[in-house]
Amino acid sequence: MSQNPVTLACPSCHRKNRLPAERLTDVSRCGACKSPLFTGHPLSLDQTAFSAHSQVDLPLVVDFWASWCGPCRQFAPVFEQTAVAMEPHVRFGKINTEEQQQLAARFAIRSIPTLMIFRAGKEVARLSGALPAQQFRQWVSQHM
Ligand SMILES: [Zn+2]
């Protein structure tokens, strides 16, 4: 087992937490605000939250979506189920491109859904269009 610490951000206060990798699977709480570090749901990300969760060791998978987008609505349960299955080794977040236009512009999102993976402040992977659950999970695993 690796003793390397992993950094991750708290879903509530966005402070950075550092945990030994093997403790990720324990029920962990934020050192600052004591909120759970994982909720079993994708986080809804604004600029502050995106910045906190994309600049840590824990990979962040983002779904750029919009309420008017049919394929986005169809994909939402797949994204939710994958979050439940892959936490706490991966963080899942959603960016509403209508509410977060600056983030959508920053990453030049031209079609939705667009799926992206970030780690330690870097874009690791990008995919346009939804995938069936199994392929989506494989795609995320490939980039871990
Ligand atoms: Zn916290």
Side-chain angles (χ1 to χ4, degrees):
M1 290 292 271
S2 163
Q3 298 292 319
N4 290 340
V6 173
T7 55
L8 66 160
C10 168
S12 297
C13 71
H14 306 312
R15 300 257 188 94
K16 198 182 275 191
N17 281 251
R18 187 182 300 271
L19 287 177
E22 64 274 15
R23 284 214 44 220
L24 272 180
T25 44
D26 298 350
V27 179
S28 306
R29 289 182 178 268
C30 172
C33 74
K34 311 298 176 200
S35 298
L37 289 172
F38 292 93
T39 61
H41 296 285
L43 305 179
S44 178
L45 300 173
D46 59 13
Q47 293 202 66
T48 306
F50 171 78
S51 155
H53 291 280
S54 63
Q55 288 174 19
V56 290
D57 299 331
L58 194 75
L60 172 70
V61 182
V62 177
D63 174 13
F64 288 86
W65 69 285
S67 59
W68 49 263
C69 159
C72 297
R73 286 199 301 271
Q74 283 170 12
F75 182 65
V78 171
F79 196 76
E80 180 94 25
Q81 285 159 20
T82 311
V84 173
M86 297 189 84
E87 281 188 0
H89 303 287
V90 188
R91 174 77 73 193
F92 287 76
K94 297 180 69 124
I95 293 179
N96 182 327
T97 55
E98 292 165 290
E99 291 169 6
Q100 303 298 332
Q101 294 181 7
Q102 281 178 291
L103 284 173
R106 179 170 154 197
F107 295 107
I109 303 301
R110 290 194 179 83
S111 67
I112 45 170
T114 287
L115 304 164
M116 290 181 72
I117 303 177
F118 298 88
R119 184 179 220 165
K122 293 202 179 76
E123 177 182 336
V124 175
R126 179 192 286 241
L127 182 77
S128 291
L131 287 177
Q134 202 182 347
Q135 274 112 302
F136 175 54
R137 205 165 153 174
Q138 275 171 2
W139 179 75
V140 175
S141 299
Q142 272 168 20
H143 296 286
M144 292 303 100

